[in-house]
Amino acid sequence: THELKAPVASIHLHLETLQRRDLPEAQKQEFYRLMLSDTDRLTETVEQVLRAGRAGDKKAGREKSAVDFRQLVRECMDAARVRHHLPAEALHYEETATNGSGVSVLGNGEDLRTAVFNVLDNAIKYSGEHVDVHVRLNIPNEKRIVLSVQDHGVGIPPDDVKSIFKRFYRVSHRSLGHVKGTGLGLFIVKSIAQKHGGKVFAESAGEGQGTTITMELPRSSV
């Protein structure tokens, strides 16, 4: 509710001020910038809520095809760098040897892209000032694909590790309490993983020790 109401209230306040007062041009431009930022934040919140509804709908996303998971992960990393204005070295990619064979998942490409991007976005947001995220794609056998995303950020208290995948759940004691969010990102990840016959889990040594999110998916033979 806060994530929906706060940007609306901010936009309303700035519009009222612009309507009632004759402001210098520089201040007007700053107000326009803030309102655009609030609009982007509101749009992202609405989209997250819609994604959560779709992820929880067992009938949605049944259209499946072979998805090149290696390429999808790299595209999501590029998108995350652009969104957060990060240098290339902020996100590190590692992959186990596949002997030249494909790394495919039978599923819905849009949903899988949402899941991977949400994991990356979460790692970046809770990394603090220095973003150092390691992305590892492991293919342990012909049946499974394992993606792990490790950050060196604020970490998660032991009692909260199993709860972070619940709908609207946010860790209340994180040192980055100012980070905005709906508490839906990892819920969406878990829902999508389960719909594809996979699973997701988190590991953290505690606050200040970073977090690793691991997603396992069935490997397609297509």
Side-chain angles (χ1 to χ4, degrees), residues 145-216:
I145 292 176
V146 181
L147 175 70
S148 65
V149 177
Q150 180 186 24
D151 66 65
H152 298 85
V154 298
I156 306 172
D159 293 341
D160 289 303
V161 170
K162 291 185 178 181
S163 300
I164 62 172
F165 295 100
K166 294 180 180 178
R167 189 193 300 259
F168 298 120
Y169 189 88
R170 299 196 74 198
V171 178
S172 58
H173 299 296
R174 285 194 170 189
S175 59
L176 293 182
H178 64 280
V179 176
K180 307 300 180 183
T182 59
L184 287 172
L186 292 180
F187 164 77
I188 293 172
V189 173
K190 180 179 179 180
S191 298
I192 291 173
Q194 290 178 337
K195 287 171 69 173
H196 286 78
K199 61 181 180 179
V200 62
F201 56 91
E203 298 173 283
S204 177
E207 292 189 67
Q209 302 298 312
T211 302
T212 300
I213 302 294
T214 301
M215 180 166 59
E216 295 187 11

Side-chain angles (χ1 to χ4, degrees), residues 95-168:
E95 182 182 317
T96 58
T98 60
N99 297 322
S101 58
V103 183
S104 295
V105 173
L106 186 63
N108 181 282
E110 181 182 345
D111 284 350
L112 291 171
R113 190 178 305 276
T114 295
V116 173
F117 185 85
N118 278 3
V119 173
L120 292 169
D121 189 60
N122 209 64
I124 293 168
K125 287 194 300 184
Y126 289 104
S127 285
E129 295 183 2
H130 179 62
V131 178
D132 181 24
V133 176
H134 291 258
V135 181
R136 298 179 179 89
L137 186 60
N138 181 28
I139 302 90
N141 52 53
E142 69 278 2
K143 295 184 178 180
R144 291 191 302 140
I145 292 176
V146 181
L147 175 70
S148 65
V149 177
Q150 180 186 24
D151 66 65
H152 298 85
V154 298
I156 306 172
D159 293 341
D160 289 303
V161 170
K162 291 185 178 181
S163 300
I164 62 172
F165 295 100
K166 294 180 180 178
R167 189 193 300 259
F168 298 120

Side-chain angles (χ1 to χ4, degrees), residues 18-115:
L18 287 166
Q19 185 181 47
R20 294 177 180 179
R21 297 173 57 186
D22 185 16
L23 302 174
E25 184 61 28
Q27 192 169 1
K28 286 182 180 179
Q29 292 301 321
E30 177 63 11
F31 277 21
Y32 295 146
R33 186 190 68 80
L34 292 171
M35 286 191 291
L36 284 171
S37 176
D38 284 329
T39 302
D40 290 341
R41 174 182 168 189
L42 182 61
T43 299
E44 175 59 25
T45 299
V46 171
E47 288 179 350
Q48 279 286 72
V49 172
L50 293 174
R51 291 188 198 109
R54 187 173 185 271
D57 183 357
K58 295 181 180 179
K59 295 182 180 180
R62 287 184 173 178
E63 310 80 12
K64 294 183 178 181
S65 60
V67 178
D68 185 335
F69 200 67
R70 177 196 291 117
Q71 180 179 344
L72 184 147
V73 169
R74 289 177 173 172
E75 289 175 354
C76 287
M77 290 177 65
D78 289 339
R81 288 190 186 98
V82 172
R83 176 171 179 174
H84 292 277
H85 310 288
L86 296 173
E89 62 270 17
L91 301 180
H92 310 270
Y93 179 77
E94 300 175 25
E95 182 182 317
T96 58
T98 60
N99 297 322
S101 58
V103 183
S104 295
V105 173
L106 186 63
N108 181 282
E110 181 182 345
D111 284 350
L112 291 171
R113 190 178 305 276
T114 295

